[in-house]
Every structure is written in C-alpha cells, then in structure tokens.
Amino acid sequence: MISMTGYGKGTAESEGKKITVELKSVNHRFLDLSVKIPKTMNFAEETARKILQQSFSRGHIDVYLTYENNGASDYDLFVNEGLADEYVRTAAYLADKYGIENDFTVSSLMKTADVITPSEKEQSEQAVAALIKDALEVAVEKLQEMRAKEGFALKNDLVEKADSVGVLLELVKQRAPEVVKNYRAKIEERITEALAGVDIDEARLINEVAFFADKACIDEETARLTAHIDNFYAILESDEPVGRKLDFLVQEMNREVNTIGSKSNDIVITNYVVNMKSEIEKIREQVQNVE
C-alpha cells in the first residue's frame, strides 16, 4: 500500500551546471501536477510531467525546480552589425549636422534595441534537459520511498481499525438472537399484566414475535459486512493502487452498519453500532491518503 503523502529531492550536476528538483505530495482524488520551474526551463516541463505520470497514479504533487550555473555561459550574443553601422553612422551625421558633440559610445550602442541579441546555445539546452531528467528521477525515487514508508504505517493503522470493527460485529451477531428472546419475554409480561390471569393466545404471540423477528433480522447485513471486512483485508495486500477501491468499500461498510442500527431495537446493539460507525469514519479519513 502506498500513501499519497511524501517528499523527495534530487540533484544532478555537470560542468558547473546544477539542477535541483523537489517534489511535495499530498492526497488528491486524481493525479494533479503543479510544476513550478524557471521560464528558461519550460522546454523540459512536458518531459517532467510524463515521468511523473508514469510514476504516480494519484495525489497532488508540487514540483519545484532550481537551476544554478557556475560554469560557461548558456548563451551566445549575436551582433547585428548592419543595424549597429546605421546607428553609428546616424550618430555621426547628427553631430556633424547640428554641430554638437558625438557622445554615442560603445555602451550606448550595446544598449540600443536589437543591436545585441542573446541566443541560448543548443548544446546547453540539451545538457540541461538531461540534468533535469536525472534530478527528477532521483526525486521520484525518494518520494516513492517515503510514500511507501507512510503507506506501511497507514496499512497497519487500517488493519487495527478494521479489526476493531470485526470485534464489534461479532458482538452484534452474538447479541442479535437475544433481542428476539427479550422481545417475546416483554410481550408475555405485558399481556399477563393486562389480562390478569387470562390464558395467552399462544398462536397470536408466536405470530407477533415472528413478525418482530423478521423485521429486526440483521443476518443479511452482518453477512455482507463480514464479507466487506474480509475484502478490505484482501485489498490491503494488493501491490496496485487501491485508494479508490477502499473508498468505495468503506461506503458500503458504513451503509450496512447504518441499516443494522436502524433495524435493531436494542440499546446494546445500538451502542455497538455507534462504536462501529466511529471506527469506520476513522478508516474513511485514513483511506483518503491512500494512492
């Protein structure tokens, strides 16, 4: 079982270039990726998304990427010599025509629009893309390790809570036959008091008790709930993502417990039902963190 909560960090370095990728994951119904990378790294976003989509099936994952370059520049500077010639010629012409000092310097020329254009080196982009992939794969591995560790603890907690529901269910099963017996005893007592010694119509009493027994019967509900609990344990052992399956199963467990509570006319079973609902609600909350 895998949790959706975790953190992973990876770094990759080459020739003074360093990429750091951090992944932070929390629960979500589907796989939701939020990629935060420098604009100059946008070329790698699609690759990053594909790697994450292949590695995870559920969870909101924040992706943070930082880039450091302590080596050679990633850019070449292109000089538009024709345009520069025109600016220099125009500056000289204006100075001569109007008899003013020509203060058009190299710095001025370099600041002039479109004279110098930076262009990213093709080989640099490829090298950075490879670093991003390496760093991301390390971060994914770390995140998977943490999610697996969290999932192991989560599984143990879910087993413990399911065990509690199972124990309470057994108590309900043991108590259920006593409910009918107690109802018959109460009916006989009331009739005896009301009729003051008159013989009881045994056939009518049997019919009344049978009607109550049929109305209050919870055998089907307890059988289905037992099957749901067994299925819950089986799903927990699966190596595949099971969050959605568990979420559906918990809803079914809760439905059966609600029905048991509504059909039962016994304070003892009602107390068991309240405790089962409490445990199932705890299970439901935990299942939201399962991938």
Side-chain angles (χ1 to χ4, degrees), residues 1-273:
M1 174 182 290
I2 305 297
S3 169
M4 286 190 280
T5 303
Y7 172 81
K9 180 178 180 179
T11 60
E13 295 184 67
S14 177
E15 298 180 353
K17 297 178 176 62
K18 180 179 179 181
I19 294 291
T20 301
V21 175
E22 292 182 89
L23 303 176
K24 296 181 180 179
S25 174
V26 295
N27 62 305
H28 195 276
R29 285 188 65 190
F30 308 102
L31 181 62
D32 181 43
L33 303 177
S34 176
V35 182
K36 302 176 179 65
I37 63 178
K39 289 184 178 180
T40 55
M41 305 285 109
N42 283 342
F43 60 85
E45 180 174 346
E46 187 60 30
T47 299
R49 286 183 177 275
K50 286 182 179 179
I51 292 175
L52 292 167
Q53 288 165 354
Q54 292 169 358
S55 304
F56 305 100
S57 63
R58 293 180 75 196
H60 172 82
I61 302 178
D62 286 311
V63 184
Y64 302 94
L65 185 149
T66 56
Y67 173 53
E68 299 175 39
N69 182 13
N70 297 314
S73 172
D74 290 335
Y75 294 90
D76 285 324
L77 296 180
F78 170 75
V79 179
N80 189 332
E81 295 183 3
L83 183 61
D85 289 344
E86 285 299 312
Y87 276 117
V88 171
R89 184 190 64 77
T90 300
Y93 168 76
L94 291 173
D96 180 63
K97 180 175 178 61
Y98 296 104
I100 58 177
E101 180 184 358
N102 186 352
D103 60 354
F104 191 64
T105 64
V106 172
S107 296
S108 301
L109 183 62
M110 293 181 67
K111 295 176 183 178
T112 304
D114 300 325
V115 170
I116 297 179
T117 305
S119 61
E120 191 168 14
K121 297 177 181 177
E122 182 178 352
Q123 68 272 20
S124 174
E125 182 174 302
Q126 294 174 348
V128 171
L131 287 178
I132 291 174
K133 183 175 181 294
D134 291 343
L136 183 59
E137 288 176 347
V138 173
V140 165
E141 182 178 354
K142 296 295 183 183
L143 178 57
Q144 288 174 329
E145 289 176 359
M146 178 171 275
R147 284 171 46 134
K149 184 177 179 180
E150 292 286 332
F152 180 77
L154 192 57
K155 175 183 175 182
N156 290 337
D157 185 65
L158 289 172
V159 168
E160 182 179 330
K161 288 177 171 56
D163 288 344
S164 297
V165 175
V167 169
L168 291 165
L169 178 58
E170 288 304 313
L171 293 175
V172 169
K173 291 179 181 178
Q174 294 171 19
R175 177 67 181 176
E178 297 297 320
V179 175
V180 177
K181 292 180 182 179
N182 292 341
Y183 181 76
R184 178 184 179 116
K186 289 179 181 179
I187 290 294
E188 289 180 340
E189 181 181 350
R190 291 174 183 174
I191 292 176
T192 300
E193 291 177 356
L195 299 181
V198 177
D199 291 338
I200 300 174
D201 186 339
E202 189 67 24
R204 292 190 63 183
L205 176 62
I206 291 174
N207 286 337
E208 175 67 23
V209 173
F211 176 76
F212 173 81
D214 182 64
K215 183 179 178 181
C217 180
I218 55 175
D219 291 348
E220 291 185 10
E221 287 77 17
T222 56
R224 283 195 294 267
L225 183 54
T226 298
H228 290 334
I229 294 173
D230 291 340
N231 195 18
F232 188 85
Y233 288 131
I235 292 174
L236 290 180
E237 298 301 323
S238 174
D239 294 328
E240 299 177 356
V242 296
R244 291 190 180 91
K245 290 182 180 179
L246 291 177
D247 190 41
F248 173 77
L249 194 56
V250 170
Q251 293 180 43
E252 295 301 304
M253 291 168 63
N254 195 55
R255 181 178 291 111
E256 300 301 338
V257 172
N258 283 334
T259 304
I260 291 171
S262 64
K263 294 177 72 172
S264 171
N265 192 22
D266 179 72
I267 187 63
V268 176
I269 290 182
T270 298
N271 287 334
Y272 292 150
V273 165

Side-chain angles (χ1 to χ4, degrees), residues 268-286:
V268 176
I269 290 182
T270 298
N271 287 334
Y272 292 150
V273 165
V274 169
N275 289 330
M276 278 195 290
K277 285 177 65 66
S278 176
E279 290 300 310
I280 290 174
E281 176 60 23
K282 293 175 185 176
I283 291 174
R284 188 195 66 78
E285 291 176 355
Q286 290 286 55

